[in-house]
Structure formats: C-alpha cells, structure tokens
Amino acid sequence: LAEQRGGGDRRWEIVTATIDDVARRAQVSVATVSRALRGLPNVAPSTRIRVLEAAQDLRYVADPSASRLAGGKSRTIALVVPMLGQWYYAKLFSGVEAVAAAAGYDLLPYTTGGPGSVTRFLDALTPRRKVDGALVVDVQLSDEDFGRLADAGIDVVTVGVDRWRGPGLRIDNAAAARLAVGHLTGLGHERIALIGGIDDDPFHFSVPVDRFGGYRDALRAAGLPRRPELVVPGNFSLEGGAEAMNALLASPDPPTAVFACSDEMAIGAMQVAQDAGLRVPGQLSIVGFDDHDVAEYVGLTTIRQDVTGQGERAAQLLLAQLVGDERTEGQEVHPTRLIVRRTTGPPPGTGELR
Amino acid sequence: LAEQRGGGDRRWEIVTATIDDVARRAQVSVATVSRALRGLPNVAPSTRIRVLEAAQDLRYVADPSASRLAGGKSRTIALVVPMLGQWYYAKLFSGVEAVAAAAGYDLLPYTTGGPGSVTRFLDALTPRRKVDGALVVDVQLSDEDFGRLADAGIDVVTVGVDRWRGPGLRIDNAAAARLAVGHLTGLGHERIALIGGIDDDPFHFSVPVDRFGGYRDALRAAGLPRRPELVVPGNFSLEGGAEAMNALLASPDPPTAVFACSDEMAIGAMQVAQDAGLRVPGQLSIVGFDDHDVAEYVGLTTIRQDVTGQGERAAQLLLAQLVGDERTEGQEVHPTRLIVRRTTGPPPGTGELR
DNA sequence: CTGAAAGCGCTTACAG
DNA sequence: CTGAAAGCGCTTACAG
C-alpha cells in the first residue's frame, strides 16, 4: 500500500498516505478527517466510520510535526532527571516509559547534568513547547523555573521535589531515615554513622538533607549525642560508600553501626568493612536505603521504596492532566518500610547470647 | 525579551521570536536567515554576523516541528532496546544520551517489550520519519525490517546484533565465554555449569546462544564431556540466577564451578550457594559476565566489558552518518577481558595447598 | 454535521 | 550572494 515515487537514480522513498489521501478516499474534506480521527464531536457516525475505514486501508498515521505545528500538541513528555545510569533513575525511567508508551506518548529524556544545565534544559524545552508536559525528578527548580514552564503551557509533575505545591509525589525521607536509625538505636547502638550526601552538591538534592534530618531526630529521640565526625558524604555511589567507610574506620573511635542513604553506598561500605576484617553484623551493623535489586542477595537490611511504581504513578498523574485535564494538586506521599535482613544486629560486646 | 500577547482572561502565553522577527531585525529575508543560521554556504560573512546577532538578541530558536515539516530532518534519534531498567541497558543508555545531548540531538527511547512489538515500533517510526536515525540494541530485526528502515531513510547503527553487515558494534561473546570457562578448566574444574539463556526467548537474543557456544568450545578444548543437566536458563536476572543455582544444587551430582552469563545471575547464584552452606570459592567457583558496578564489591570474578563506552561509541557512529554522512560499514568488535577476583579457585579436594 | 480557507514556522528550488 | 514564493501536512475558526 505504500507506493513508491521518484524512481530516478537516487534512493527511492516511501510515500505515506496524507490526510488528503484519506479525505479523497472517504469522500469528505480534510477538516472532517481531522475531526473524525481525533474523536472530536460534530461528526456523523456514518461519516466517522467511513473515515476510519479509509484511514485504516491506507495505513494513515498523522504526521506529528504537522500536527504539532498546526495544533500545538506534541504528544511528547519530557523526563527530567539529574543523571541516568544509576539504579534509581533506571527503575523510575522504566516505569515512566511503560505508562507513556501505553498511552501513545513519546518520551524525551533530559539529563540536567550539572547546576548550569537546568537553565539549558529550560531553554531547550520552553520556547517551542517541544513537549506537552514534563516529569521533573529530584531537580530542585526555582519558582521562576516553574513559572517559565507554566507560561509555556507545559504541565509539570514532580518526583522527589520539595517546596513545590503542584502535583507530584515523593516519599517521606525524614520519617524513613528515622525508621532506619531507630532500628539501630533499638538494637542498642550508640555510635551510629551516617553515610550520606554530597559535598558541595551541584543538584541541591533535598533527599540527603531530609534523611540527615531523620538521622538527627532518631539520635535525639534515643538520647544519643550527635558526633559530627560520624557524618560523611558518600555521593550515592558504591565507590563513595567505600571511601566513606574507609574514613570512618580510620577515625579513633569507629562506629558500631552505619546508616547509608542508598543501598549502593551501603554495599560499598560493607565490602570495605569486611575487607578490614570486621564481621557484619557481629562487629558492624549496616542499614541501606532503596531496596536495590541486589540488596536481597547481599542480605542487606534496608528501607524499601517502590521506585518503578513511583515512575508509573507519576506518569499517570501527568497523563491525567494532559489528556483528561484533571488537575491533581498536591503531593502524594508514597510509603516506605524497613526490611530487616542479615546486616543488622546488636552492637559488639552486648553479649550476643541467644 | 519574551513579550506577552493575549491578555484576556485566559492563561497568557509567551510569544517567542520567529524567523520573521529575526529577518526583520537583521534586515534580510527569512531564506537568508535560514541559511545563515544553519551554516549553509552562499551567505556573505557580514550578513551572517548580522543574522547571528539578531537571533541572539531575540533568543531565537527554530521550531523543530516546522523545520522537520519543511525540511525532513528531526534531529532526533531512536534508541531501540528490548527493555529498560536492567543494569546493562541503563548504562548503555546513559552513554548514548550523553553523546546525543552534546550533539544537540534528542533521544527517543523505544522498548520493544515483546516479540510482536518490533513491528509496532517500526509502524510508529517508519511512516513519518519521526527520527533521523535509530540505534538498535540486542533486537534481532529481520532483513525486511532493516529494509523498511532503509526505505524510510532512517540510518541504523546496531549494538549486539549479529547477521547484519551494516554499521554497528558488538563484543565477541563466544570468545569471552571461552575465556571465562577456560579460566575454570585451567583451575582444574571438570563439572562446570552454565547459567545462561532464556527458555522460549521472545527476543531471539543472540547473546546467550553465542556464550553457550563459547562454553561448549572451552569444555571441548579441555577434553571434558558436556553434561546437558548442567546447562540451565537464568533469564539474566538475580531471581533467575538464584533459581538456576537451586536447580543445580538439587541435582545428584552438582557442579564445582558455574559460569553465569551475567553478573546479576552470578550474584543470585552465589547467594543461594552461600545460603546452602557452600563456601565460595572453596566448594564452588563462580564467574560472571559484564563487570556490573557491584561485581567488584562482592569480589566476583567476571568478564569485563565497557557498556557505557559502547553506548557512547554507537551514538558517535550514528551521528557521524547523520551529520557528516560518513558511512562506516561493518561491525566493530569491542574488547572484553577476564577480571579474576575472589569467587574462583581450584575445585574442592584438589588440595588447596599453597 | 460539513467544507473552504487561512495559517502554524520553517526549508528549498528557482530567479536574479 | 539574496529574495519572493511555494509547499511541507496538519488544525482551527468561520460560514453555512
């Protein structure tokens, strides 16, 4: 059905049916074809059927560029993340992609990369309304940034963004951290380290800040003093976790337990501890965060969150606004819970008498 | 500089400069603006400078939909993968994204999901030439499929696709598997299991087939008999690896070594083995494949490949075709190498006398 | 319920 | 080296 035109010495090109072809075959105007195919009202049922059949016969697919240029809708959403390739973002991405694809929306990933490039992404997206909506993940936009998106008519849903009253979802990082550290204080630990944020964080993540808050609260609730030397950055990577653990072990009075703000950091830390001859959890307890796929297989006690599910839900929220024009204001708080495995136990010397 | 128009009771919309605005400001025609801005020849240097300045003053950005409709180029490439969210694809993705973004290209991810949806993706991409090029990863397209893409004028670069003579890259899976299994036979193992492919594989991955071939060759080279009961599927997941190991341990005569076709399967298998009370590598040796981020931290002996680097390179190959019109025919074979860590040793009873 | 026509913002022969 | 004009394939008031 795809005829070929040209036939000179150059590469042949497939000619796809245009809206004109469909109109001719269905014996109506292009305006009617456009209305019928997009399910708009004011089309006689019999006409609609004729158009639908003609379109199917010709395998007609509307040219997205032409639609966008004429109508302003691109059926594309942007996924704005600080980086790709990390476990968390990969999982979130796959959830978003599945929902977007099912709804017939294209997905445009944007990596903000560094601090300056938030502006770069806004410049790329805003002026031409390349996308109908944007899913902003862990990127702390200013009010002005959100304003630019709104002015451009781009709907926004956030994941993990504080100080934004618009639609979105996040977890209660402080509460989750309290849970993790409370588990350790409950076991009797008194010297509990935090492997957390990023020194000189270019992204202004709120995640490490909030988890630090929970850590601090849990110590206070247990009546424990806070020791600044036990709080070290870990960059949310395996390497960072390993380095952090090395630093902690080098201190004059090392911790008996560690709360790492991601499972990747926890695994890095655990490895270093074991290499140093420490038994886990006999001599050192470790709690992670995320419930990474491998957490179960290394027996890591951790805080579980459903990242893929969050991605799916966020995409649904955005699509609801785009398609149904439903405005869901406010932030959903998704659940987290403590999964106790084999890396936590009472501190050494407590008499492991059972 | 972005004026606002409208001002009724509805949402205000930002008005961005169009090519007409730039033309007026630079006192030339829109045709000249178009040529000057895209770096085409036949523009007087002084004119070009005037146009460039005018565009900058107005923060002009060409509307991609209009460009695409008029010119046929979309400055977008598709990344076609079987799935997202796995370590391998996430890493590859981040490599591709970095290069594409740097070149000013948008990236459109397509998940083929199941067998039928290869057609679905072609239907979505082909008729309207939504993308200029496609990076096809691990998806075994038929000659007809490749033909459709070529007819639509879409340049293709593959990663991990056999039986395709066009441009692309892959690793030598058979050789890598021989290396891994040869390491085990060299240590004296005679009962070596393979945790590999997928039963009833919907994607027709060539990866597991090729790695199985290498396994078989290595056994033969060592003069060892092949035992079908030691070859089990693992689905390339942690869970699959764990199940496979359970099955192997339940057999009457379990292996003394395992070659798993991915690190994720290897880690799942290792966990099951340790839970069953087996010492690794004392009683069971394990080799993985990929050099996953966590491999180093669980001490896994494995085959290393540079996945992010492959993604970057593949994107460069595709962009070279798109931008410079350089046709790189043929497949690059990227290197792999054996990384020996702490999960492999001589088989039990060999006298670990060193 | 339907159609003719204008217009979205570019690119590309074609003339000059 | 530059410009006037046609055209890419749609959507959307506006009439009827």
Side-chain angles (χ1 to χ4, degrees), chain A residues 11 16-17 61 63 65 68-69 85 90-91 93 97 106-111 127-128 130 153 238-239 271 293 297 342, chain B residues 11 16-17 61 63 65 68 85 90-91 93 97 106-111 127-128 130 153 238-239 271 293 297 342:
Chain A
R11 174 204 281 166
T16 324
V61 184
D63 182 314
S65 296
R68 154 76 185 72
L69 183 58
K91 287 294 171 186
F93 197 141
E97 199 273 342
D106 280 334
L107 194 61
L108 222 46
Y110 275 91
T111 302
R128 292 316 184 169
K130 212 184 229 177
L238 283 153
E239 296 75 15
Q271 186 55 43
D293 291 314
Y297 293 89
R342 303 186 311 274
Chain B
R11 172 204 282 165
T16 324
V61 184
D63 182 315
S65 296
R68 154 77 183 72
K91 287 294 170 186
F93 197 141
E97 201 272 343
D106 280 333
L107 194 61
L108 223 44
Y110 275 90
T111 302
R128 291 316 186 173
K130 211 183 228 176
L238 283 153
E239 296 75 14
Q271 186 54 44
D293 291 315
Y297 293 90
R342 304 185 309 274

Short mmCIF file of all heavy atoms in Angstrom, two decimals, chain A residues 11 16-17 61 63 65 68-69 85 90-91 93 97 106-111 127-128 130 153 238-239 271 293 297 342, chain B residues 11 16-17 61 63 65 68 85 90-91 93 97 106-111 127-128 130 153 238-239 271 293 297 342:
data_model
loop_
_atom_site.label_atom_id
_atom_site.label_comp_id
_atom_site.label_asym_id
_atom_site.label_seq_id
_atom_site.Cartn_x
_atom_site.Cartn_y
_atom_site.Cartn_z
N ARG A 11 17.95 7.29 -4.08
CA ARG A 11 17.25 6.35 -3.23
C ARG A 11 15.73 6.57 -3.31
O ARG A 11 15.25 7.68 -3.23
CB ARG A 11 17.73 6.57 -1.78
CG ARG A 11 16.97 5.75 -0.77
CD ARG A 11 17.08 6.44 0.58
NE ARG A 11 18.38 6.17 1.20
CZ ARG A 11 18.84 6.86 2.24
NH1 ARG A 11 18.12 7.84 2.74
NH2 ARG A 11 20.00 6.57 2.77
N THR A 16 3.96 7.92 2.11
CA THR A 16 2.92 7.52 3.03
C THR A 16 1.68 8.35 2.76
O THR A 16 1.76 9.48 2.30
CB THR A 16 3.39 7.75 4.47
OG1 THR A 16 4.78 7.48 4.54
CG2 THR A 16 2.64 6.85 5.42
N ALA A 17 0.55 7.77 3.08
CA ALA A 17 -0.71 8.47 2.86
C ALA A 17 -0.76 9.74 3.70
O ALA A 17 -0.31 9.76 4.84
CB ALA A 17 -1.86 7.55 3.22
N VAL A 61 -1.16 7.49 9.22
CA VAL A 61 -0.73 7.97 10.53
C VAL A 61 -0.45 9.46 10.38
O VAL A 61 0.32 9.85 9.51
CB VAL A 61 0.57 7.27 10.98
CG1 VAL A 61 0.94 7.71 12.38
CG2 VAL A 61 0.42 5.76 10.91
N ASP A 63 1.10 12.96 10.61
CA ASP A 63 2.47 13.42 10.80
C ASP A 63 2.54 14.25 12.08
O ASP A 63 1.88 15.29 12.19
CB ASP A 63 2.88 14.27 9.60
CG ASP A 63 4.31 14.74 9.70
OD1 ASP A 63 4.72 15.21 10.78
OD2 ASP A 63 5.03 14.64 8.71
N SER A 65 4.83 16.16 13.30
CA SER A 65 5.35 17.52 13.16
C SER A 65 4.27 18.46 12.64
O SER A 65 4.14 19.59 13.11
CB SER A 65 6.54 17.53 12.21
OG SER A 65 7.59 16.78 12.74
N ARG A 68 1.72 19.08 15.39
CA ARG A 68 2.26 19.97 16.39
C ARG A 68 2.30 21.41 15.89
O ARG A 68 1.97 22.35 16.60
CB ARG A 68 3.66 19.46 16.78
CG ARG A 68 4.62 20.48 17.32
CD ARG A 68 4.33 20.86 18.74
NE ARG A 68 5.23 21.92 19.17
CZ ARG A 68 5.16 23.17 18.77
NH1 ARG A 68 4.22 23.53 17.92
NH2 ARG A 68 6.02 24.06 19.21
N LEU A 69 2.73 21.57 14.66
CA LEU A 69 2.86 22.91 14.11
C LEU A 69 1.48 23.58 14.00
O LEU A 69 1.32 24.76 14.32
CB LEU A 69 3.53 22.85 12.74
CG LEU A 69 3.80 24.19 12.06
CD1 LEU A 69 4.69 25.05 12.93
CD2 LEU A 69 4.44 23.97 10.70
N GLY A 85 21.62 6.09 34.35
CA GLY A 85 22.60 5.05 34.57
C GLY A 85 22.69 4.59 36.01
O GLY A 85 23.27 3.56 36.30
N ALA A 90 17.17 4.49 36.59
CA ALA A 90 16.84 3.49 35.58
C ALA A 90 15.49 2.85 35.88
O ALA A 90 14.66 2.65 34.99
CB ALA A 90 17.94 2.42 35.52
N LYS A 91 15.26 2.55 37.14
CA LYS A 91 14.00 1.92 37.53
C LYS A 91 12.84 2.88 37.33
O LYS A 91 11.78 2.51 36.82
CB LYS A 91 14.05 1.50 39.00
CG LYS A 91 14.93 0.29 39.25
CD LYS A 91 14.34 -0.93 38.58
CE LYS A 91 15.31 -2.09 38.62
NZ LYS A 91 14.83 -3.24 37.86
N PHE A 93 12.70 5.37 35.33
CA PHE A 93 12.56 5.55 33.90
C PHE A 93 11.72 4.44 33.29
O PHE A 93 10.79 4.69 32.50
CB PHE A 93 13.96 5.53 33.27
CG PHE A 93 14.02 6.08 31.88
CD1 PHE A 93 15.10 6.85 31.49
CD2 PHE A 93 13.01 5.85 30.96
CE1 PHE A 93 15.18 7.39 30.21
CE2 PHE A 93 13.08 6.38 29.67
CZ PHE A 93 14.16 7.14 29.31
N GLU A 97 8.35 5.01 31.25
CA GLU A 97 8.32 4.65 29.84
C GLU A 97 7.16 3.73 29.53
O GLU A 97 6.46 3.89 28.51
CB GLU A 97 9.65 3.99 29.44
CG GLU A 97 9.94 3.98 27.97
CD GLU A 97 9.36 2.79 27.25
OE1 GLU A 97 9.02 1.79 27.93
OE2 GLU A 97 9.22 2.84 26.02
N ASP A 106 5.31 9.91 23.38
CA ASP A 106 6.75 9.76 23.29
C ASP A 106 7.40 10.34 24.53
O ASP A 106 6.83 11.20 25.20
CB ASP A 106 7.29 10.49 22.06
CG ASP A 106 7.08 9.68 20.78
OD1 ASP A 106 7.00 8.44 20.88
OD2 ASP A 106 7.00 10.29 19.71
N LEU A 107 8.59 9.85 24.80
CA LEU A 107 9.30 10.25 26.00
C LEU A 107 10.64 10.85 25.60
O LEU A 107 11.37 10.27 24.82
CB LEU A 107 9.52 9.01 26.87
CG LEU A 107 9.95 9.22 28.30
CD1 LEU A 107 8.89 10.01 29.05
CD2 LEU A 107 10.15 7.87 28.96
N LEU A 108 10.93 12.02 26.13
CA LEU A 108 12.18 12.68 25.81
C LEU A 108 12.99 12.83 27.09
O LEU A 108 12.64 13.63 27.95
CB LEU A 108 11.86 14.07 25.24
CG LEU A 108 12.62 14.59 24.04
CD1 LEU A 108 12.74 13.55 22.94
CD2 LEU A 108 11.90 15.83 23.49
N PRO A 109 14.06 12.06 27.25
CA PRO A 109 14.85 12.17 28.47
C PRO A 109 15.76 13.40 28.45
O PRO A 109 16.37 13.70 27.44
CB PRO A 109 15.67 10.89 28.47
CG PRO A 109 15.79 10.50 27.05
CD PRO A 109 14.57 11.01 26.34
N TYR A 110 15.81 14.10 29.53
CA TYR A 110 16.73 15.23 29.67
C TYR A 110 17.56 15.04 30.92
O TYR A 110 17.02 14.90 32.01
CB TYR A 110 15.98 16.55 29.78
CG TYR A 110 15.63 17.11 28.44
CD1 TYR A 110 14.43 16.80 27.83
CD2 TYR A 110 16.54 17.93 27.76
CE1 TYR A 110 14.12 17.29 26.58
CE2 TYR A 110 16.24 18.42 26.51
CZ TYR A 110 15.03 18.11 25.92
OH TYR A 110 14.73 18.59 24.69
N THR A 111 18.86 15.07 30.75
CA THR A 111 19.76 14.98 31.89
C THR A 111 20.23 16.38 32.23
O THR A 111 20.79 17.06 31.38
CB THR A 111 20.96 14.10 31.53
OG1 THR A 111 20.49 12.82 31.15
CG2 THR A 111 21.88 13.94 32.72
N PRO A 127 10.85 27.47 24.79
CA PRO A 127 10.45 28.41 23.75
C PRO A 127 9.51 27.79 22.72
O PRO A 127 8.60 28.45 22.25
CB PRO A 127 11.77 28.84 23.10
CG PRO A 127 12.80 27.93 23.63
CD PRO A 127 12.30 27.30 24.86
N ARG A 128 9.71 26.57 22.37
CA ARG A 128 8.92 25.98 21.30
C ARG A 128 7.92 24.96 21.77
O ARG A 128 7.33 24.26 20.96
CB ARG A 128 9.86 25.35 20.27
CG ARG A 128 10.64 26.38 19.53
CD ARG A 128 9.76 27.49 19.15
NE ARG A 128 10.48 28.46 18.33
CZ ARG A 128 9.84 29.43 17.71
NH1 ARG A 128 8.53 29.55 17.81
NH2 ARG A 128 10.52 30.29 17.01
N LYS A 130 8.22 22.05 22.97
CA LYS A 130 8.57 20.79 22.35
C LYS A 130 7.79 19.64 22.98
O LYS A 130 7.61 18.60 22.38
CB LYS A 130 10.07 20.57 22.57
CG LYS A 130 10.78 19.82 21.51
CD LYS A 130 12.23 19.62 21.95
CE LYS A 130 13.20 20.02 20.86
NZ LYS A 130 14.59 19.90 21.28
N GLY A 153 3.00 26.76 28.94
CA GLY A 153 1.88 25.82 28.81
C GLY A 153 2.28 24.38 29.01
O GLY A 153 1.58 23.46 28.60
N LEU A 238 28.71 3.35 44.86
CA LEU A 238 29.46 2.29 45.51
C LEU A 238 30.82 2.79 45.97
O LEU A 238 31.23 2.56 47.11
CB LEU A 238 29.63 1.13 44.53
CG LEU A 238 28.40 0.25 44.34
CD1 LEU A 238 28.40 -0.40 42.97
CD2 LEU A 238 28.38 -0.82 45.43
N GLU A 239 31.50 3.48 45.06
CA GLU A 239 32.83 3.99 45.39
C GLU A 239 32.76 4.96 46.56
O GLU A 239 33.59 4.91 47.48
CB GLU A 239 33.43 4.72 44.18
CG GLU A 239 33.70 3.85 42.97
CD GLU A 239 32.42 3.48 42.22
OE1 GLU A 239 31.36 4.12 42.47
OE2 GLU A 239 32.45 2.55 41.41
N GLN A 271 31.58 -3.85 51.94
CA GLN A 271 32.74 -4.51 51.38
C GLN A 271 34.02 -4.06 52.09
O GLN A 271 34.86 -4.88 52.47
CB GLN A 271 32.82 -4.20 49.88
CG GLN A 271 33.92 -4.97 49.18
CD GLN A 271 33.77 -6.45 49.42
OE1 GLN A 271 32.66 -6.99 49.37
NE2 GLN A 271 34.86 -7.12 49.75
N ASP A 293 17.84 -4.03 43.74
CA ASP A 293 17.69 -5.44 43.37
C ASP A 293 18.65 -6.37 44.09
O ASP A 293 18.28 -7.47 44.47
CB ASP A 293 17.92 -5.61 41.85
CG ASP A 293 16.81 -4.97 41.04
OD1 ASP A 293 15.64 -5.16 41.37
OD2 ASP A 293 17.13 -4.26 40.07
N TYR A 297 20.11 -10.04 47.87
CA TYR A 297 21.12 -11.06 47.64
C TYR A 297 22.39 -10.85 48.42
O TYR A 297 23.24 -11.72 48.47
CB TYR A 297 21.38 -11.19 46.13
CG TYR A 297 20.16 -11.73 45.45
CD1 TYR A 297 19.17 -10.88 44.99
CD2 TYR A 297 19.95 -13.11 45.35
CE1 TYR A 297 18.02 -11.38 44.42
CE2 TYR A 297 18.80 -13.62 44.78
CZ TYR A 297 17.83 -12.75 44.32
OH TYR A 297 16.70 -13.25 43.77
N ARG A 342 20.12 -9.43 57.10
CA ARG A 342 21.19 -10.01 57.91
C ARG A 342 22.37 -9.08 58.18
O ARG A 342 23.44 -9.52 58.59
CB ARG A 342 21.73 -11.27 57.22
CG ARG A 342 20.67 -12.33 56.94
CD ARG A 342 21.29 -13.60 56.39
NE ARG A 342 22.19 -13.33 55.28
CZ ARG A 342 21.81 -13.20 54.00
NH1 ARG A 342 20.54 -13.32 53.68
NH2 ARG A 342 22.70 -12.96 53.07
N ARG B 11 -5.04 32.02 30.22
CA ARG B 11 -3.62 31.97 30.56
C ARG B 11 -2.79 32.70 29.49
O ARG B 11 -2.97 32.50 28.30
CB ARG B 11 -3.20 30.50 30.61
CG ARG B 11 -1.71 30.31 30.76
CD ARG B 11 -1.34 28.94 30.24
NE ARG B 11 -1.67 27.90 31.21
CZ ARG B 11 -1.71 26.63 30.90
NH1 ARG B 11 -1.47 26.23 29.68
NH2 ARG B 11 -1.99 25.72 31.80
N THR B 16 7.39 33.63 21.39
CA THR B 16 8.80 33.52 21.10
C THR B 16 9.07 34.08 19.71
O THR B 16 8.21 34.04 18.85
CB THR B 16 9.24 32.07 21.14
OG1 THR B 16 8.52 31.42 22.18
CG2 THR B 16 10.71 31.97 21.40
N ALA B 17 10.26 34.57 19.53
CA ALA B 17 10.63 35.12 18.24
C ALA B 17 10.56 34.05 17.16
O ALA B 17 10.91 32.89 17.39
CB ALA B 17 12.04 35.68 18.32
N VAL B 61 15.09 30.47 18.64
CA VAL B 61 15.33 29.04 18.48
C VAL B 61 14.36 28.55 17.43
O VAL B 61 13.15 28.77 17.56
CB VAL B 61 15.06 28.27 19.79
CG1 VAL B 61 15.42 26.81 19.62
CG2 VAL B 61 15.84 28.88 20.94
N ASP B 63 11.79 26.47 15.47
CA ASP B 63 10.78 25.50 15.88
C ASP B 63 11.08 24.16 15.21
O ASP B 63 11.10 24.06 13.98
CB ASP B 63 9.40 25.99 15.45
CG ASP B 63 8.30 25.06 15.89
OD1 ASP B 63 8.46 23.83 15.73
OD2 ASP B 63 7.28 25.53 16.39
N SER B 65 9.38 21.44 14.96
CA SER B 65 8.29 20.86 14.16
C SER B 65 8.24 21.50 12.79
O SER B 65 8.05 20.81 11.78
CB SER B 65 6.95 21.06 14.87
OG SER B 65 6.94 20.36 16.09
N ARG B 68 11.22 20.29 10.77
CA ARG B 68 11.03 18.92 10.33
C ARG B 68 10.01 18.84 9.20
O ARG B 68 10.19 18.10 8.23
CB ARG B 68 10.57 18.09 11.54
CG ARG B 68 9.77 16.87 11.25
CD ARG B 68 10.59 15.71 10.75
NE ARG B 68 9.74 14.57 10.43
CZ ARG B 68 8.95 14.54 9.37
NH1 ARG B 68 8.88 15.56 8.55
NH2 ARG B 68 8.21 13.48 9.13
N GLY B 85 15.64 -0.49 32.50
CA GLY B 85 15.64 -0.81 33.93
C GLY B 85 16.65 -1.86 34.31
O GLY B 85 16.94 -2.04 35.49
N ALA B 90 20.62 0.39 31.15
CA ALA B 90 20.73 1.71 31.79
C ALA B 90 22.09 2.33 31.51
O ALA B 90 22.21 3.51 31.20
CB ALA B 90 20.49 1.58 33.29
N LYS B 91 23.13 1.52 31.60
CA LYS B 91 24.47 2.03 31.35
C LYS B 91 24.64 2.43 29.89
O LYS B 91 25.21 3.47 29.57
CB LYS B 91 25.51 0.95 31.70
CG LYS B 91 25.66 0.73 33.18
CD LYS B 91 26.25 1.95 33.85
CE LYS B 91 26.18 1.83 35.35
NZ LYS B 91 26.62 3.05 36.02
N PHE B 93 22.34 3.27 27.83
CA PHE B 93 21.50 4.44 27.63
C PHE B 93 22.23 5.70 28.05
O PHE B 93 22.24 6.71 27.34
CB PHE B 93 20.23 4.27 28.48
CG PHE B 93 19.12 5.18 28.07
CD1 PHE B 93 17.81 4.72 28.08
CD2 PHE B 93 19.34 6.49 27.70
CE1 PHE B 93 16.77 5.54 27.70
CE2 PHE B 93 18.30 7.32 27.33
CZ PHE B 93 17.02 6.84 27.33
N GLU B 97 22.95 8.79 25.65
CA GLU B 97 22.32 10.07 25.94
C GLU B 97 23.34 11.20 26.02
O GLU B 97 23.11 12.30 25.50
CB GLU B 97 21.55 9.96 27.27
CG GLU B 97 20.47 10.99 27.47
CD GLU B 97 20.99 12.26 28.11
OE1 GLU B 97 22.10 12.25 28.69
OE2 GLU B 97 20.29 13.28 28.00
N ASP B 106 17.92 15.02 20.06
CA ASP B 106 17.00 14.44 21.03
C ASP B 106 17.04 12.93 20.92
O ASP B 106 17.38 12.38 19.87
CB ASP B 106 15.58 14.94 20.78
CG ASP B 106 15.36 16.33 21.34
OD1 ASP B 106 16.05 16.69 22.30
OD2 ASP B 106 14.50 17.05 20.82
N LEU B 107 16.65 12.30 22.01
CA LEU B 107 16.70 10.85 22.07
C LEU B 107 15.30 10.33 22.38
O LEU B 107 14.64 10.80 23.30
CB LEU B 107 17.65 10.44 23.19
CG LEU B 107 18.11 9.00 23.25
CD1 LEU B 107 18.86 8.63 21.99
CD2 LEU B 107 19.01 8.81 24.46
N LEU B 108 14.85 9.37 21.59
CA LEU B 108 13.53 8.82 21.80
C LEU B 108 13.68 7.33 22.12
O LEU B 108 14.03 6.55 21.25
CB LEU B 108 12.74 8.97 20.50
CG LEU B 108 11.29 9.42 20.53
CD1 LEU B 108 11.08 10.56 21.50
CD2 LEU B 108 10.85 9.80 19.13
N PRO B 109 13.45 6.93 23.37
CA PRO B 109 13.62 5.53 23.72
C PRO B 109 12.41 4.70 23.26
O PRO B 109 11.27 5.13 23.41
CB PRO B 109 13.69 5.55 25.25
CG PRO B 109 12.97 6.77 25.66
CD PRO B 109 13.10 7.77 24.54
N TYR B 110 12.70 3.54 22.71
CA TYR B 110 11.64 2.62 22.33
C TYR B 110 11.91 1.26 22.95
O TYR B 110 12.97 0.69 22.73
CB TYR B 110 11.55 2.46 20.81
CG TYR B 110 10.72 3.53 20.19
CD1 TYR B 110 11.30 4.71 19.77
CD2 TYR B 110 9.35 3.37 20.04
CE1 TYR B 110 10.54 5.72 19.21
CE2 TYR B 110 8.58 4.37 19.48
CZ TYR B 110 9.18 5.53 19.07
OH TYR B 110 8.41 6.53 18.53
N THR B 111 10.97 0.76 23.69
CA THR B 111 11.10 -0.56 24.27
C THR B 111 10.31 -1.53 23.41
O THR B 111 9.11 -1.34 23.21
CB THR B 111 10.53 -0.56 25.70
OG1 THR B 111 11.23 0.40 26.46
CG2 THR B 111 10.71 -1.92 26.34
N PRO B 127 6.63 5.41 9.09
CA PRO B 127 5.83 6.14 8.11
C PRO B 127 6.13 7.63 8.07
O PRO B 127 6.12 8.24 7.03
CB PRO B 127 4.39 5.88 8.54
CG PRO B 127 4.46 5.27 9.88
CD PRO B 127 5.81 4.71 10.07
N ARG B 128 6.38 8.22 9.19
CA ARG B 128 6.55 9.66 9.21
C ARG B 128 7.97 10.10 9.43
O ARG B 128 8.23 11.27 9.67
CB ARG B 128 5.66 10.26 10.29
CG ARG B 128 4.21 10.17 9.95
CD ARG B 128 4.01 10.56 8.53
NE ARG B 128 2.60 10.62 8.19
CZ ARG B 128 2.20 11.08 7.02
NH1 ARG B 128 3.07 11.48 6.14
NH2 ARG B 128 0.92 11.09 6.75
N LYS B 130 9.90 9.92 11.94
CA LYS B 130 9.92 10.67 13.18
C LYS B 130 11.36 10.92 13.65
O LYS B 130 11.62 11.83 14.41
CB LYS B 130 9.18 9.83 14.24
CG LYS B 130 8.47 10.60 15.30
CD LYS B 130 7.86 9.62 16.29
CE LYS B 130 6.42 9.93 16.58
NZ LYS B 130 5.81 8.92 17.47
N GLY B 153 14.49 6.02 4.98
CA GLY B 153 15.58 6.98 5.07
C GLY B 153 16.15 7.10 6.47
O GLY B 153 16.80 8.09 6.80
N LEU B 238 18.65 -11.54 38.75
CA LEU B 238 19.06 -12.06 40.04
C LEU B 238 18.21 -13.26 40.43
O LEU B 238 18.73 -14.31 40.84
CB LEU B 238 18.93 -10.96 41.09
CG LEU B 238 20.02 -9.90 41.08
CD1 LEU B 238 19.51 -8.59 41.62
CD2 LEU B 238 21.20 -10.39 41.89
N GLU B 239 16.91 -13.11 40.30
CA GLU B 239 16.00 -14.19 40.66
C GLU B 239 16.27 -15.44 39.82
O GLU B 239 16.30 -16.55 40.33
CB GLU B 239 14.54 -13.77 40.45
CG GLU B 239 14.08 -12.61 41.32
CD GLU B 239 14.62 -11.26 40.85
OE1 GLU B 239 15.13 -11.17 39.71
OE2 GLU B 239 14.56 -10.31 41.64
N GLN B 271 24.50 -16.18 46.14
CA GLN B 271 23.74 -16.06 47.36
C GLN B 271 23.12 -17.40 47.75
O GLN B 271 23.18 -17.84 48.90
CB GLN B 271 22.64 -15.00 47.20
CG GLN B 271 21.90 -14.72 48.47
CD GLN B 271 22.86 -14.34 49.58
OE1 GLN B 271 23.78 -13.56 49.36
NE2 GLN B 271 22.67 -14.91 50.76
N ASP B 293 28.57 -2.85 38.29
CA ASP B 293 29.12 -1.99 39.34
C ASP B 293 29.37 -2.72 40.64
O ASP B 293 30.36 -2.48 41.32
CB ASP B 293 28.15 -0.84 39.63
CG ASP B 293 28.07 0.14 38.48
OD1 ASP B 293 29.12 0.50 37.95
OD2 ASP B 293 26.95 0.53 38.11
N TYR B 297 32.47 -5.24 44.40
CA TYR B 297 32.18 -5.19 45.83
C TYR B 297 31.72 -6.51 46.41
O TYR B 297 31.63 -6.66 47.61
CB TYR B 297 31.18 -4.07 46.10
CG TYR B 297 31.83 -2.74 45.83
CD1 TYR B 297 31.75 -2.18 44.57
CD2 TYR B 297 32.58 -2.11 46.80
CE1 TYR B 297 32.39 -0.98 44.29
CE2 TYR B 297 33.23 -0.92 46.53
CZ TYR B 297 33.13 -0.36 45.28
OH TYR B 297 33.79 0.80 45.01
N ARG B 342 37.64 -12.89 43.79
CA ARG B 342 37.70 -13.87 44.88
C ARG B 342 36.65 -14.98 44.82
O ARG B 342 36.41 -15.66 45.82
CB ARG B 342 37.56 -13.15 46.22
CG ARG B 342 38.58 -12.05 46.45
CD ARG B 342 38.46 -11.48 47.84
NE ARG B 342 37.08 -11.09 48.13
CZ ARG B 342 36.54 -9.91 47.82
NH1 ARG B 342 37.27 -9.00 47.22
NH2 ARG B 342 35.29 -9.66 48.11
#
